[in-house]
Amino acid sequence: MATTLPVKIEFSLPEGWQPAPPDEVGAPGVAFVALHPDSRDGFTANITIAGKLREDEADLVAIADESVQRLSTAATVRVAQRTQVGTPEAPALTQTLRVSTALRERPLELVQSQVYLVMRDVHEPAKRAVIELVLTAKSSQLDEVADDFKEFVRTVRPAGPADA
């Protein structure tokens, strides 16, 4: 079942990307899905947005490791790259995963680019929302969609008071 984000955000999708209902495209547990129909080649490249409130002290590396563990229950996963970015006030982490799985009983090699953003509650700094932005694509599709994902990530921000 699709979820909602713990904080309101706003973003812009690059040209050529289309929103899709998470439950209808097999992405339960995420709040938003966008598909790139032009990349369809046995697999459609996609962007997902998920997030949850975290009241624990887990750092972004531990949270990224949780994602690797979750994916590892259904696929073989290798962390290809991981970088902490952002600032102390707005920490973020990026990681690239190589995922070996199967689709309709055929082997499928995917790349996931994941970005984790922390958004703190201004009234209760101990409460923080961790937003997970993910691009999933076949290696052969990556050149076509990687810049779009970077462009998308640059547009993600907390929704302004008028949007709340």
Side-chain angles (χ1 to χ4, degrees):
M1 183 159 118
T3 66
T4 58
L5 293 175
V7 294
K8 292 185 186 262
I9 63 171
E10 52 189 59
F11 56 87
S12 298
L13 282 177
E15 191 174 325
W17 290 84
Q18 299 175 346
D23 291 333
E24 290 180 24
V25 295
V30 304
F32 180 83
V33 175
L35 302 176
H36 190 262
D38 290 348
S39 68
R40 193 170 288 132
D41 175 21
F43 181 84
T44 303
N46 62 81
I47 292 172
T48 61
I49 303 173
K52 60 182 166 179
L53 283 177
R54 299 288 299 230
E55 294 187 33
D56 62 7
E57 293 301 315
D59 65 12
L60 288 177
V61 171
I63 292 169
D65 284 341
E66 290 172 6
S67 176
V68 172
Q69 290 298 332
R70 256 189 332 271
L71 283 170
S72 294
T73 63
T76 302
V77 181
R78 180 175 63 84
V79 178
Q81 173 271 335
R82 182 180 282 171
T83 306
Q84 292 194 40
V85 295
T87 65
E89 299 78 32
L93 180 138
T94 66
Q95 73 178 1
T96 302
L97 306 177
R98 302 290 177 184
V99 181
S100 298
T101 189
L103 181 64
R104 295 188 260 318
E105 299 181 19
R106 299 184 72 156
L108 181 62
E109 299 297 318
L110 299 172
V111 177
Q112 269 201 356
S113 294
Q114 301 179 335
V115 177
Y116 294 88
L117 306 173
V118 173
M119 295 180 183
R120 293 211 177 265
D121 185 314
V122 293
H123 303 294
E124 295 182 57
K127 286 186 178 178
R128 64 187 175 139
V130 177
I131 305 299
E132 179 185 69
L133 313 170
V134 179
L135 168 69
T136 306
K138 290 172 51 175
S139 297
S140 61
Q141 298 165 326
L142 202 54
D143 286 343
E144 183 179 357
V145 297
D147 286 342
D148 284 354
F149 184 62
K150 291 175 189 171
E151 177 184 328
F152 162 75
V153 169
R154 284 192 292 270
T155 71
V156 176
R157 62 190 171 280
D163 302 316

